[in-house]
Structure formats: C-alpha cells, structure tokens
Amino acid sequence: MRSILFLFLCAAACSGSRAATSAGPAAGESGAELWAASCRRCHAMRDPADYSDAEWRVVILHMRVRANLDDGEVRAILAFLTSGE
Amino acid sequence: MRAAVVAALMMLPRAASAQVPVAARDVTSGATTAAADGDDAVRRELAALRARLAALGEELRRERAARAELLSTVDADLQELDGRVVELSEQASGQEARVALVVAGTATGNLAMTSADRPAYSAALSPHFLWSLYGRALFEAHIDVKAGDGTTGLGVEFAQIWLPLGDHLAVGAGKLIAPFGFYMDAIHTAWINRLPDEPLPVADDVGVAPTHLYGAQLRGAHRIGGARLGGIAYGGSAPVLVLAGQEGELPAGALDQDRAGRAAAGGRVALRPVAPLEVGASGHLARVDPADAAMVDRVLAWTGGVDASFTQVAPHLDGTFSLHAEYIVARTNERGGDTYDRTRQGFYFQAAYGPSEVDARWLRRLEGVVRYDFVDRAGLAVEAPPRVERFAAGAAYWLQASLVVKLAWEIALTERPEMDTTSDKRVLAQVAAGF
C-alpha cells in the first residue's frame, strides 16, 4: 500500500513541469486543452467527427455530469468539438 | 451641367455673329460669301453636336432606367434571400429547442478459458439513451442485454434525469449507479476499462462497494486556484440484507443490491491538485435490515473508500501511462446482536502504459496493463470468510478510440481457513466497441 502511494506521489511530482505547460486547471484554457485534459483522464479521446454538432450538444450534457464539468468548460469544449478544426 | 453645356452651345451662333463688326459685312461679296459659308459650317457642326448630345442624353436616360430596374430586381432578390435565411435560422433554432435523442452504448464479445472448465462465451449489447430536453435537461438510460452459456439477461443498469443548476451544480434522480469511488462512476464501461473484467472490490456479486440505488444525487465542482474540488451527495434506497434461512443466490449476510429496501445516503469528495491527478474519498451509510423482518433489529452498513487516479503523457517515455487504485472497507453492524456483524474490504491497483508518442502507428495503439486486486468477503460469523486475491496482466489494442481488443491472463488465489489455498488461472479475451 505504501509503495503504491509512493508511486502516485512520484508520478504527480514528475508531472509538475508537464502540467505547467500542458492543459492545467487554470482559467483561460482553450476548448481543445480542456477536451484533452478532461477526457483523457478516463478514456481515449474520441474523434470530434464521431458525432454531428447536434449530437455533441447532447453528449456533452452527459459528459458534464460524468466528468463534473462546469458550464464554462462545457461551452468551451463544445465550441471546439463543433468548430470543425 | 448638361443644360449649361447646351446653353453654351446655343450661345455660339449669336456670339459669333455678334462679334462680327458691321464693317466686315460691308466687305466685298467674296468675303461675305466666305463668311456665310463659315457660318453654315458652324451651324451644321452645332446641329450635329446638338443631335449627338441629345442622343447621348437619351442613352444616358436609358442606362439609368436599366440600372434602376436592375437595382430594384437585386433588392427584391436580397430581401427574399434575407427572408429565407431568417426562416431557415428559425427552423434550425426550433429543431435545437426540440427533443434530441442520441443512442450511444457498448457492445462486447467475451471469452473466458480455464484449464478446468470448458470455454465460456458471452456477448452483450448495452445501448445508452441520451435524451436532451431543450438543451438543458438530460434523461439517460442504460440497458444491458446479455447472453452467454445458454442464458440471457435484460436489465436496466441506470435510468435518471439530470438538470443543471447554475454553472457548477447538477441534480439527478432515478435509478443511479451509486456514485461511490472512481471506477464505477467513471471507467467501468467496457470500451473504457482496459481489462476484460472488473476489479474484485467493485465487481457484481462479489464486490464490497455499493452498486445501485433508487434516489437522487447532487454533483458539483469548483476551481480553487489551479486545483479543482468536486463533490457528490446522494440519498435513496438501501440494499437488503440476506437473512439466515432466506438464502437464494446470495449467502446469508450478503447485501442484495438488486432490491430496494430502507434508506441509504452517501457522497464523495475529490480533489484534483494538478490536472493529471485526482484523489477522492467516499462514504456510504445504509440501513439494510429487511422492512418485513421481525427476527432482526436495525442493521446498519457503512462503507468507506479512498481512490486515486493518474493519467499523464510522459514524453521521456514516449507514451502515456495511467494509474488507478481504490481501497474500500465495509462494516455491517446489528443492533442488539452480532449475527450479521462483519467487516469486508477490497483493494485494487491498475497500471497501464501505451507508447502513444512513437512514430509507428501500429505500436501507438498498443497498451499494456497489469492489475492486482483482492477482496475479503466475510460471511456470517460462524462461516469462514473467503479471501480472493488476483493478479492480472494483459494488453489492449485500440483499433479506434472506442474500439478495443483485450487479452489478459489472470491468476486467482482463494484462501479459506483450515483449507489449502486454491489457485485458478484463466485467459480472458474481449472485443468492446463503443458507439
């Protein structure tokens, strides 16, 4: 148990520099960054082309609940998914 | 302007004649004739200029009339287009405002092989209905249709309605997956889970964690500087204790999660200090004695758990690794007796690594996984509690983000007091597709 806790702490420490330059939980994150940071925690990131814009508007409601996203994050991620970029 | 030009031209003959001195008219007849000829030429040229000017004026009037008509036509077309755009926009807005249904879900094919038994095959189709009401409320339901070894099963895993409350909260009600811990709430779906089966502490029938309840939950999250703090609170029905003499598929002392008994409440708090790391703590308290049982007094079951998850791209390792761990302890306590007093605990740790940053595309799709888990399932005080400990190692090959082939080798050690520890090995294979 202690070795596993040590492993998590090491991983978190090693990720410090990466987190500072990647999508951290800071205000002003782009929709793409939030999409990567929020989705990758649980599953591989699905292609935005998997769903139409109207379908993403429905799916994002489900992900708001599952990933505990707030309204601003949902809008930013949805704008990215439906931007076609 | 044109009128001024014409007036100037009209003035030319009078001016020309007015400037000729009287004395010049008295010149010899030859000079008079020459002057008269000159006047005629000027008059003819003037007439021609007047005619040309009139023609130009007429042409200008025709051009202006044509342009005015064209502009009028273009204006009419633009107005029609504007109206059409407004009409289409209203239609689009109306369609967004109407109910929108998305059918997602998971399909799996499974194979389990042991040295002792024949291979076991099973398949499942689990549609997940997402029904958006005016872009705000969401109704979702997950149906499981399973078939295997001559049996079929149909069940509703969850069905709930969600309503956002402001920017940070959401309230839901219905049949819920108990939002206890991390695994069941976030990664239990087959096309997300990296191994073909579930960790023991959260598995069906043998698990320690609460699984389902009928009730309501409130979720929210808030940023605190660079960190994020999330919380869930829920309440609803409790599982029902299987009493001695009422055993069925479950032994006495087990909690039947498929039955809705008295009341339960719980919650989870999770902190994400940095983006890749989340740590959480969960609690659950339920009164599990059957409502119609006279043989037992109140029986309370409390469950506590801690969890941690970490997912990060590691450039120096050319890949992505993810770690998940949960520890759960559950205690059942009977007031006025100890027949159903027992403590159960379970733990799992799972680590996965995939070379997601290498150049070879086929290699980027590969992911190796290892997992260690155990569960102590205490039965009645008079029974020997079995402990099951497992080690699994496998690989997942991601054909797409939601299409995966998994292969795993697993060894399970079962300990029973006063008995030899038994080991069971098996190979598991699964194809899982999320749609």
Side-chain angles (χ1 to χ4, degrees), chain B residues 263-335:
Chain B
R268 177 176 181 257
V269 176
L271 176 66
R272 206 183 303 169
V274 292
L277 174 67
E278 180 175 297
V279 292
S282 304
H284 179 91
L285 180 63
R287 181 175 171 180
V288 298
D289 50 290
D292 57 352
M295 63 204 60
V296 295
D297 204 337
R298 185 172 61 188
V299 180
L300 295 179
W302 65 265
T303 311
V306 291
D307 60 83
S309 64
F310 185 88
T311 301
Q312 179 65 298
V313 175
H316 52 287
L317 295 178
D318 286 335
T320 302
F321 62 95
S322 68
L323 311 173
H324 300 288
E326 290 190 55
Y327 173 74
I328 304 168
V329 59
R331 170 74 180 162
T332 307
N333 183 263
E334 178 189 1
R335 189 171 75 171

Side-chain angles (χ1 to χ4, degrees), chain A residues 1 4 7-8 11-12 15 18 23-26 29 34 40-46 51 55 57-59 61-62 64-68 70-71 73, chain B residues 100 102 128 132 138 140 160 162 166-169 185 192 219-221 223 225-226 228 272 275 277-278 308 310-312 323 347 349 401-402 434-435:
Chain A
M1 182 74 73
I4 292 171
L7 184 60
F8 270 99
S15 75
R18 173 72 180 179
E29 286 179 279
L34 283 169
R40 183 188 288 138
R41 290 194 311 114
C42 297
H43 58 75
M45 292 181 289
R46 302 187 72 161
Y51 295 111
E55 289 171 333
R57 291 188 187 93
V58 179
V59 173
L61 294 178
H62 163 77
R64 172 187 168 147
V65 172
R66 282 286 169 261
N68 232 353
D70 62 35
D71 228 23
E73 292 168 331
Chain B
V102 174
H128 189 149
S132 167
L138 175 71
E140 58 174 349
Q160 54 199 344
W162 289 100
D167 287 344
H168 300 281
L169 296 177
D185 199 44
I192 297 176
R219 293 177 178 239
R223 294 182 186 276
R228 164 191 285 274
R272 206 183 303 169
L277 174 67
E278 180 175 297
F310 185 88
T311 301
Q312 179 65 298
L323 311 173
F347 169 80
F349 170 72
S402 60
F435 55 90

Side-chain angles (χ1 to χ4, degrees), chain B residues 324-387:
Chain B
H324 300 288
E326 290 190 55
Y327 173 74
I328 304 168
V329 59
R331 170 74 180 162
T332 307
N333 183 263
E334 178 189 1
R335 189 171 75 171
D338 60 3
T339 305
Y340 299 101
D341 286 358
R342 60 195 185 112
T343 300
R344 301 167 297 161
Q345 59 177 342
F347 169 80
Y348 80 86
F349 170 72
Q350 179 174 300
Y353 169 78
S356 59
E357 306 299 302
V358 300
D359 293 332
R361 183 179 179 186
W362 69 270
L363 195 56
R364 288 202 301 268
R365 297 179 174 186
L366 186 63
E367 190 171 32
V369 191
V370 294
R371 184 181 68 199
Y372 168 78
D373 55 4
F374 75 82
V375 64
D376 283 331
R377 294 180 60 236
L380 295 178
V382 297
E383 289 189 7
R387 173 186 168 94

Side-chain angles (χ1 to χ4, degrees), chain A residues 66, chain B residues 128 142 156-160 162 174-180 183-186 188-189 210-214 217 219 232 234:
Chain A
R66 282 286 169 261
Chain B
H128 189 149
H142 188 100
V156 177
E157 184 175 34
F158 63 85
Q160 54 199 344
W162 289 100
K175 181 179 181 182
L176 322 172
I177 290 179
F180 183 98
Y183 182 89
M184 284 304 295
D185 199 44
H188 82 281
T189 306
T211 59
H212 297 85
L213 73 156
Y214 296 86
Q217 60 178 303
R219 293 177 178 239
I232 304 173
Y234 62 90

